[in-house]
Amino acid sequence: MSKEPGRLVIIGGAEDKEDRCEILQEVVRMAGGSHARVVVMTVATEVPLEVGAKYLEVFHRLGVADVRTFDVSSRENANARSAVKAIEEATCVFFTGGDQIRITELLGGTEVDALLHKRFEEGMLLAGTSAGASMMSSTMIVEGEPETNPRIGIVEMAPGMEFIHGVVIDQHFAQRGRLGRLLSAVAQYPHHLGLGIDENTAVVVENQTFRVIGSGAVTVVDAGALTYSNVRGLRENDDLALCGVTLHILPNGYKFHLRDRVPIIEKAERNSSKSEGTRS
Amino acid sequence: MSKEPGRLVIIGGAEDKEDRCEILQEVVRMAGGSHARVVVMTVATEVPLEVGAKYLEVFHRLGVADVRTFDVSSRENANARSAVKAIEEATCVFFTGGDQIRITELLGGTEVDALLHKRFEEGMLLAGTSAGASMMSSTMIVEGEPETNPRIGIVEMAPGMEFIHGVVIDQHFAQRGRLGRLLSAVAQYPHHLGLGIDENTAVVVENQTFRVIGSGAVTVVDAGALTYSNVRGLRENDDLALCGVTLHILPNGYKFHLRDRVPIIEKAERNSSKSEGTRS
């Protein structure tokens, strides 16, 4: 098992489960390949049997023999002995989609919550998709209105599960027109970087950096350098004005330094970009 | 009539025609109020009778007695004597929605095209919504895929009618998830500012500046300060990587200087923002 703490795979929802399964393959690889022991947490969904069965099938197909699902429908059964044991032995815990508030309400402060943090710090891989992505951060988007301009009232925030700090995560990003709600979130909390993760796209976090995998892109919204904002004193439905937000669009293979808030451009990419400069 | 050339009202589509009609009211005011003479150009749409009748009704309701519609279904009738005369006398020409390529194909290079530019430079107000907004610039978005991450191939560009330079306009912006396609456009042509105009929202251009009116916001996408882009040498469906794009979100009442590429924050707004600074 890796000694390096804090490995996360945060997926923007609708990851491929039939074809190349690029993202889930990477989850399996990081979890130990055929030696992986995966626990699929279906706590976010109201149809845990269906969702759990699908992931069981996919992880088996990807060569993982030891996969089990763990559903939590009440805080009482969040501490089931068998589940605790499975997490103690897991190399990866995978959170499915559903409703992120179910995750924090049903797991928050339980024995499993503490154990997840302990195991995560010891190097266990944590992965999550859609709702399972949103809950990863300290502050999470609970819900919000899509396809509209930024206003305070279009986004509801709440404390998340705190596996990663300094970011707010949104998923199904391009597909559901969520720029407005992510901007509304970071306008209120410019300390947080907004990570808008497209469907079938993921950020893989290790050592204060992330890299992007999958077929879409990650939109990093940085309100740290705002030159003007009218956010203070605004009421719910007033329109936000924001000047000087910085945006980075990072597709597959690109990297970002979370603490320094800058993309990491590898030499090869710089050179290929420069070598084109001779075109006239 | 104003001696100031270059007055445009560029509307992001779906402007209110039933309730307060804030945007169309402003068009009427700028066109001379009850003395306005408005020509509604239905060239973009394939249902000109229906669309024309609607605007006739609205402009009459807003107090304009002299409104006429002008349809162009072939390049031949683009130069109809009666139409030319109407434009010669108009205080405002209003372009409806439809397909922007119809506007450039049917009007481009005709007598009416030349006359529109002449009258526009003399101070006649030009307004357009949706397709009638897109065609205003020198380079226009013809069509593009919504709700996806930026790629070269998702946006098709073509020369527009050249009433405004240095911008690329997109409409129905937040409502149709068009950040990706506007980024794809400005990544290729970073000289152009991207203006993403929401529905029932407009930019009013005068003297190299614009102000925003309506219920949504204008998203200004400035790729001028890009710190990295992989756009050169990319093929159609390759994913774009863009670092350091600047974004401004400007709702009703906010202003922007087009040549200097900066928002204009009025004193009152600055002060109200500062006066909140004492909260502890």
Side-chain angles (χ1 to χ4, degrees):
Chain A
M1 191 191 302
S2 164
K3 290 274 166 63
E4 216 166 69
R7 300 182 310 146
L8 294 168
V9 180
I10 310 175
I11 310 168
E15 70 283 357
D16 173 22
K17 298 176 196 69
E18 308 300 335
D19 193 19
R20 289 179 53 220
C21 305
E22 183 184 356
I23 294 169
L24 296 178
Q25 289 262 25
E26 179 64 8
V27 169
V28 170
R29 191 194 67 77
M30 291 178 71
S34 56
H35 302 293
R37 292 182 300 276
V38 178
V39 174
V40 176
M41 300 280 280
T42 53
V43 52
T45 174
E46 292 188 17
V47 285
L49 290 181
E50 197 180 307
V51 173
K54 181 67 205 174
Y55 280 104
L56 274 180
E57 185 267 309
V58 182
F59 281 119
H60 280 147
R61 181 157 29 93
L62 296 177
V64 183
D66 189 347
V67 193
R68 60 194 75 189
T69 61
F70 174 27
D71 183 39
V72 180
S73 50
S74 71
R75 288 182 60 89
E76 290 69 49
N77 71 3
N79 295 322
R81 205 50 235 161
S82 62
V84 168
K85 191 157 180 306
I87 292 171
E88 271 169 351
E89 292 167 357
T91 61
C92 171
V93 172
F94 185 98
F95 282 82
T96 71
D99 183 351
Q100 46 265 47
I101 205 76
R102 281 179 60 90
I103 305 176
T104 57
E105 280 182 2
L106 290 169
L107 283 189
T110 63
E111 193 179 335
V112 162
D113 180 356
L115 181 59
L116 284 168
H117 276 85
K118 175 173 170 290
R119 298 285 291 112
F120 172 63
E121 280 155 27
E122 290 168 1
M124 181 189 75
L125 181 66
L126 254 186
T129 186
S130 196
S134 288
M135 68 80 182
M136 294 285 192
S137 56
S138 311
T139 305
M140 71 177 184
I141 293 176
V142 178
E143 58 183 344
E145 200 180 319
E147 300 182 342
T148 180
N149 65 303
R151 299 191 302 280
I152 300 288
I154 63 166
V155 66
E156 191 188 331
M157 319 272 292
M161 292 294 279
E162 298 199 308
F163 295 110
I164 180 170
H165 303 277
V167 300
V168 175
I169 295 157
D170 212 348
Q171 7 83 2
H172 303 276
F173 188 70
Q175 288 72 24
R176 299 194 185 166
R178 287 178 164 178
L179 176 67
R181 79 180 210 178
L182 189 56
L183 281 169
S184 305
V186 298
Q188 294 173 71
Y189 308 109
H191 166 71
H192 292 319
L193 281 171
L195 303 186
I197 309 177
D198 289 349
E199 292 184 355
N200 194 33
T201 307
V203 305
V204 179
V205 182
E206 291 177 277
N207 287 330
Q208 284 292 320
T209 66
F210 71 75
R211 61 188 159 91
V212 179
I213 59 174
S215 65
V218 173
T219 302
V220 180
V221 177
D222 186 352
L226 273 179
T227 53
Y228 173 82
S229 155
N230 68 345
V231 69
R232 285 178 171 194
L234 272 198
R235 269 174 276 177
E236 257 210 2
N237 277 308
D238 294 345
D239 297 306
L240 269 166
L242 300 171
C243 301
V245 176
T246 302
L247 209 70
H248 310 289
I249 307 286
L250 305 173
N252 188 59
Y254 283 82
K255 292 179 184 164
F256 191 87
H257 197 290
L258 284 163
R259 202 191 42 226
D260 296 348
R261 304 170 83 105
V262 287
I264 303 165
I265 304 300
E266 311 271 323
K267 254 199 193 119
E269 282 150 8
R270 276 193 196 286
N271 287 347
S272 93
S273 164
K274 273 185 190 157
S275 70
E276 295 284 325
T278 53
R279 194 173 62 179
S280 63
Chain B
M1 192 190 299
S2 165
K3 290 273 166 65
E4 216 165 69
R7 299 182 313 145
L8 294 167
V9 180
I10 310 176
I11 310 168
E15 71 282 358
D16 173 22
K17 297 176 196 69
E18 307 301 335
D19 193 17
R20 288 180 53 220
C21 305
E22 182 184 356
I23 294 170
L24 296 178
Q25 289 263 26
E26 179 64 8
V27 169
V28 170
R29 190 193 67 77
M30 290 179 71
S34 57
H35 302 293
R37 291 181 299 277
V38 178
V39 174
V40 176
M41 299 280 281
T42 54
V43 52
T45 176
E46 292 188 20
V47 286
L49 289 180
E50 198 180 305
V51 173
K54 182 67 206 174
Y55 279 103
L56 274 181
E57 185 266 309
V58 181
F59 280 118
H60 280 148
R61 179 156 31 92
L62 296 178
V64 183
D66 189 346
V67 194
R68 60 193 75 188
T69 63
F70 174 27
D71 184 37
V72 180
S73 49
S74 71
R75 287 182 61 88
E76 290 70 49
N77 72 3
N79 295 323
R81 206 49 237 160
S82 60
V84 168
K85 191 156 181 303
I87 293 171
E88 272 168 351
E89 292 168 356
T91 60
C92 171
V93 171
F94 185 97
F95 282 81
T96 72
D99 183 351
Q100 47 266 47
I101 205 77
R102 281 179 60 90
I103 304 176
T104 57
E105 280 181 3
L106 291 168
L107 284 189
T110 62
E111 193 180 333
V112 161
D113 180 354
L115 181 59
L116 284 168
H117 276 85
K118 175 175 171 285
R119 297 285 293 111
F120 173 62
E121 280 156 27
E122 289 168 2
M124 182 189 75
L125 181 66
L126 253 186
T129 186
S130 197
S134 288
M135 68 79 183
M136 293 285 191
S137 56
S138 311
T139 304
M140 72 177 183
I141 292 176
V142 177
E143 59 182 344
E145 201 180 316
E147 300 183 341
T148 181
N149 65 302
R151 299 191 302 279
I152 300 287
I154 64 166
V155 66
E156 191 189 331
M157 319 272 293
M161 294 293 280
E162 300 200 306
F163 295 110
I164 180 170
H165 303 277
V167 301
V168 174
I169 295 158
D170 211 348
Q171 9 83 1
H172 303 278
F173 188 71
Q175 288 73 24
R176 298 193 185 167
R178 288 179 164 178
L179 175 67
R181 79 180 210 179
L182 188 56
L183 281 169
S184 304
V186 298
Q188 295 173 70
Y189 308 108
H191 166 72
H192 293 318
L193 281 171
L195 303 186
I197 309 177
D198 289 349
E199 293 183 354
N200 194 33
T201 307
V203 305
V204 179
V205 182
E206 291 177 279
N207 287 330
Q208 285 292 321
T209 66
F210 72 74
R211 62 188 158 92
V212 179
I213 59 173
S215 65
V218 173
T219 302
V220 180
V221 177
D222 186 351
L226 272 180
T227 53
Y228 171 81
S229 154
N230 69 345
V231 71
R232 286 178 172 194
L234 272 198
R235 268 173 278 176
E236 257 210 2
N237 276 308
D238 294 345
D239 297 306
L240 269 167
L242 300 172
C243 302
V245 176
T246 302
L247 209 70
H248 309 290
I249 306 285
L250 306 173
N252 187 60
Y254 282 83
K255 293 179 184 164
F256 192 86
H257 197 289
L258 284 163
R259 202 189 44 226
D260 296 350
R261 304 170 84 109
V262 288
I264 304 165
I265 304 300
E266 311 270 323
K267 253 197 194 124
E269 283 151 6
R270 275 193 197 284
N271 288 346
S272 94
S273 164
K274 273 187 191 156
S275 70
E276 296 283 326
T278 53
R279 194 174 63 178
S280 65

